[in-house]
Amino acid sequence: MRGFARRVAVADAVGWVRSHARLLGSETAVLAQLAGRALAQDITSDVDVPGFDRSMMDGFAVQSNDTLGASPYNRLRLRVLGTILPGTRFSGVVGAGQAVKVMTGAPMPAGADAVLPVEQVEPAAGRASEICAVGEVSPGKHVGRRGEDVASGDMVLTAGRRIRPQDVGVLSSIGVAQAAVTRRPRVRIVITGNELLPAGTKPAGSQIADANGPMLCALVSRDGGLPVGPGIVPDDPRAILAAMRADADLVLVSGGSSVGQEDHAPALLVEHGELAIHGVAMRPSSPAGMGILDGRLVFLLPGNPVSCLCAYDFFAGRAIRMMSGLAENWPYAERRLRLRRKLVSTVGRVDYARVKIVGGEVEPLAISGASILSSTTRADGFVVVPEDSEGFPAAAEVSVWLY
């Protein structure tokens, strides 16, 4: 941490994010664009789903009393009045000794209180308009009741919920074509470095392809934001400042976040805005910083790819999720597993350790340096070692956050 006046604890940096990230306003989105968004209104149904009693089986709508005692040895005759297909209705009434052929999902006819499945029916010899019941059904058997899925007046979804695909289906089923959702933050991604080539370009000579730009775009999209850019910005203070002042709700600067000669972003924040935090007691990502420029949050992410990923997940991603109306916690599944061997750390900093799961146990990856991005693809997840710990001994149970 040479060159940094002080290192801020990770918990304090997270606290700063929580106190400054503000939920954005709402906007209306159509049904097809709701999945993954944070609902900004309560949704109450004004209809029953289904809106009618319906058959849950292919069979015959009957009065259940007419099937009492029916068996292959006691075949009970019923007269068939007609057929009901899904989307159609039967105009008559089913009386004693009568039946109507129904398909799954078709409305129940008046007078019938159960459905006799086709497996419990045989043709009546010599009578095309009759069937024989060879099994019995109780009242309500194989009948889906009106409003059993959703009843009129039910609260279907509440504000703040992240809308899942099945939620979209339910909204459609009650006739909701659009809903209010929290606006997605526009996130300007500023990639700095004269040594960088555009993303996807073959590395050549002393230049390297931009890896952080596409990675950050994917992370921002995952967390509910709208990535703006990226594009490589020259290591020139005026160009970097102009990029940081682009029309956006939040700014991510990748590279030039430390205290070297070409690390312009921190100085620009000091001169034109507020550099609230610069230097965090963690490994990797110790050069991370954050502040405010023109009223918007700015996160300084190290250029080394693993450091960039780590700082994004701990700080910037949290802010984007909060602004989007989503849960601030990590979008990773957590598993409690035992270590195959010890995991060493240093008291006074948080360690972000990449790990593999081998035979149901956690194997720390022996990696040094924050530039080895492929370590995160070889890893199944990561373990966070708290700042007050020297690590964990072999066989200790730890939390693994799964990529």
Side-chain angles (χ1 to χ4, degrees), residues 10 25 33 72 85 173 189 195 201 217 225 242 282 290 330 334:
V10 168
Q33 298 174 352
L85 300 175
S173 76
I189 300 174
E195 76 281 11
T201 302
C217 278
M282 62 190 306
M290 56 201 76
W330 282 327
E334 179 187 6

Side-chain angles (χ1 to χ4, degrees), residues 225-237:
L226 290 171
V228 180
I232 298 171
V233 179
D235 282 327
D236 174 76

Side-chain angles (χ1 to χ4, degrees), residues 56-318:
M56 302 305 291
M57 300 280 286
D58 289 342
F60 292 84
V62 298
Q63 291 188 359
S64 56
N65 284 339
D66 289 338
T67 69
L68 292 177
S71 72
Y73 308 102
N74 184 32
R75 297 152 55 93
L76 302 180
R77 285 179 177 263
L78 298 170
R79 184 163 65 90
V80 180
L81 302 179
T83 299
I84 310 175
L85 300 175
T88 66
R89 287 190 176 274
F90 183 71
S91 59
V93 178
V94 176
Q98 298 176 335
V100 174
K101 188 175 183 179
V102 292
M103 303 302 167
T104 302
M108 289 291 291
D113 67 349
V115 174
L116 186 66
V118 292
E119 295 84 359
Q120 294 179 277
V121 172
E122 292 181 357
R127 297 289 183 91
S129 63
E130 292 187 356
I131 58 170
C132 290
V134 296
E136 62 179 60
V137 287
S138 57
K141 190 69 172 177
H142 306 309
V143 175
R145 294 302 182 188
R146 174 175 181 156
E148 70 175 1
D149 191 351
V150 179
S152 180
D154 280 354
M155 178 77 74
V156 177
L157 299 175
T158 56
R161 179 186 181 93
R162 183 170 193 168
I163 302 173
R164 301 176 295 176
Q166 57 266 45
D167 298 333
V168 178
V170 170
L171 291 175
S172 181
S173 76
I174 64 174
V176 172
Q178 59 186 29
V181 290
T182 302
R183 185 169 64 81
R184 299 178 68 186
R186 288 169 49 83
V187 180
R188 176 64 165 103
I189 300 174
V190 182
I191 305 298
T192 69
N194 290 336
E195 76 281 11
L196 295 177
L197 295 170
T201 302
K202 290 284 187 183
S206 59
Q207 292 189 295
I208 59 175
D210 169 31
N212 290 350
M215 178 177 70
L216 289 172
C217 278
L219 289 167
V220 168
S221 297
R222 178 199 71 182
D223 291 333
L226 290 171
V228 180
I232 298 171
V233 179
D235 282 327
D236 174 76
R238 289 172 297 180
I240 295 171
L241 180 62
M244 291 168 64
R245 282 183 156 160
D247 181 21
D249 299 297
L250 183 144
V251 178
L252 305 180
V253 181
S254 169
S257 69
S258 190
V259 291
Q261 180 177 332
E262 297 298 313
D263 294 321
H264 302 297
L268 290 170
L269 269 184
V270 170
E271 182 179 356
H272 299 280
E274 175 193 354
L275 181 61
I277 292 172
H278 192 208
V280 183
M282 62 190 306
R283 187 185 67 168
S285 306
S286 61
M290 56 201 76
I292 299 173
L293 177 66
D294 300 339
R296 64 174 68 94
L297 299 185
V298 178
F299 288 88
L300 308 180
L301 309 178
N304 280 330
V306 178
S307 290
C308 180
L309 171 63
C310 178
Y312 175 90
D313 264 345
F314 270 81
F315 311 119
R318 187 184 304 271

